[in-house]
Amino acid sequence: MAVIAYDRTRDRVEHYFDRTATQTWERLTSDAPVSGIRATVRAGRDRMRALLLDALPADLAGARLLDAGCGTGALAVELARRGADVTAVDISPALIDIARRRCPADLAPRIEFRAGDMTDPALGRFDHVVAMDSLIYYTAADVADMLARLPAPRILFTVAPRTPLLMAMFWAGKAFPKSDRSPVMIPHSARGIAAHLRGGVLREIERVSSGFYISAAMEHAK
Ligand SMILES: C[S@@+](CC[C@H](N)C(=O)[O-])C[C@H]1O[C@@H](n2cnc3c(N)ncnc32)[C@H](O)[C@@H]1O
């Protein structure tokens, strides 16, 4: 792994979600009213969560799942509802606190919430890993390395696809770099990530497009 690029991105992501954007993210992932644009993002993310859940077995009883970059924990809760034993990890301790608070009491015994890096080998092995919108800030080389290091035979994840709109936003961001430490989303194609993979099969499952939320679900089978 290009450790410097990875560490720099992860530090920015942590700073952003743990300090700058914690409240915004808490609100976006709640039922509280949000602006029109954010409502389209929320709707798109709800669709993406459902799509990822559809790509998993309906009955997850006895399966170990990693919600990698769990944020405020919505996906982890749905996985636990299906019977999985879930480890939900996020680099932001503030978001992990919110996820713990929001977790329904009856599902709490099924979910271990942890603050830390999703690629930490101490998390153990899993039957499936799901990383929804949590690899979107990393380079293709880093995404490929993370897929190799995430300990499961099957990983579901999302990327920002290389659509004309997202590429224009990416290059505009490059031309006018932000002065704050917010992370930059990097659009990817399956082929671009696959070029860095040392094994396994990568395929795009489906895209979701809802206002400013444009996202592609992918599957990596080892
Ligand atoms: C856009 S949010 C998505 C959160 C959640 N998956 C969801 O869909 O609601 C991205 C999340 O990934 C987490 N993240 C990014 N890189 C990470 C890493 N290397 N290890 C653990 N968490 C990470 C961030 O802290 C953030 O909470």
Side-chain angles (χ1 to χ4, degrees):
M1 179 178 289
V3 175
I4 296 175
Y6 177 77
D7 284 356
R8 193 182 296 140
T9 306
R10 194 195 51 190
D11 289 352
R12 273 181 171 255
V13 168
E14 178 182 357
H15 188 273
Y16 181 69
F17 283 99
D18 209 56
R19 301 191 211 167
T20 321
T22 314
Q23 284 176 354
T24 310
W25 196 251
E26 182 173 18
R27 192 173 182 90
L28 181 72
T29 58
S30 73
D31 294 332
V34 286
S35 70
I37 288 176
R38 288 202 172 135
T40 64
V41 171
R42 183 188 276 170
R45 283 175 34 78
D46 288 346
R47 267 166 55 199
M48 178 54 83
R49 193 177 315 104
L51 198 157
L52 293 170
L53 286 164
D54 280 352
L56 290 165
D59 182 3
L60 289 170
R64 288 200 76 217
L65 269 90
L66 178 67
D67 183 355
C70 64
T72 53
L75 182 67
V77 165
E78 292 309 317
L79 296 172
R81 246 188 246 294
R82 289 195 185 182
D85 292 316
V86 183
T87 298
V89 64
D90 200 283
I91 200 71
S92 161
L95 293 190
I96 286 290
D97 282 347
I98 297 167
R100 270 203 196 99
R101 272 204 313 273
R102 285 187 181 173
C103 182
D106 60 322
L107 296 175
R110 291 209 162 280
I111 309 178
E112 185 188 359
F113 289 104
R114 288 172 69 148
D117 190 315
M118 66 171 86
T119 63
D120 181 352
L123 295 175
R125 288 203 64 77
F126 297 90
D127 297 299
H128 304 270
V129 173
V130 188
M132 175 168 154
D133 297 348
S134 49
L135 308 187
I136 58 178
Y137 307 107
Y138 295 91
T139 62
D142 281 344
V143 172
D145 275 318
M146 293 167 89
L147 294 175
R149 289 166 49 139
L150 286 166
R154 185 166 181 246
I155 300 164
L156 299 172
F157 66 104
T158 63
V159 298
R162 291 174 68 89
T163 63
L165 174 64
L166 291 184
M167 290 312 293
M169 286 166 70
F170 175 69
W171 288 115
K174 286 254 175 204
F176 306 103
K178 289 185 183 158
S179 56
D180 65 17
R181 294 185 59 199
S182 59
V184 176
M185 206 168 63
I186 307 177
H188 293 303
S189 63
R191 188 189 288 190
I193 295 169
H196 296 273
L197 281 172
R198 289 181 297 276
V201 180
L202 183 68
R203 75 174 179 107
E204 182 171 326
I205 304 174
E206 204 175 318
R207 290 189 184 183
V208 170
S209 187
S210 169
F212 276 102
Y213 183 78
I214 304 169
S215 182
M218 303 221 176
E219 174 189 54
H220 180 237
K222 292 186 178 166

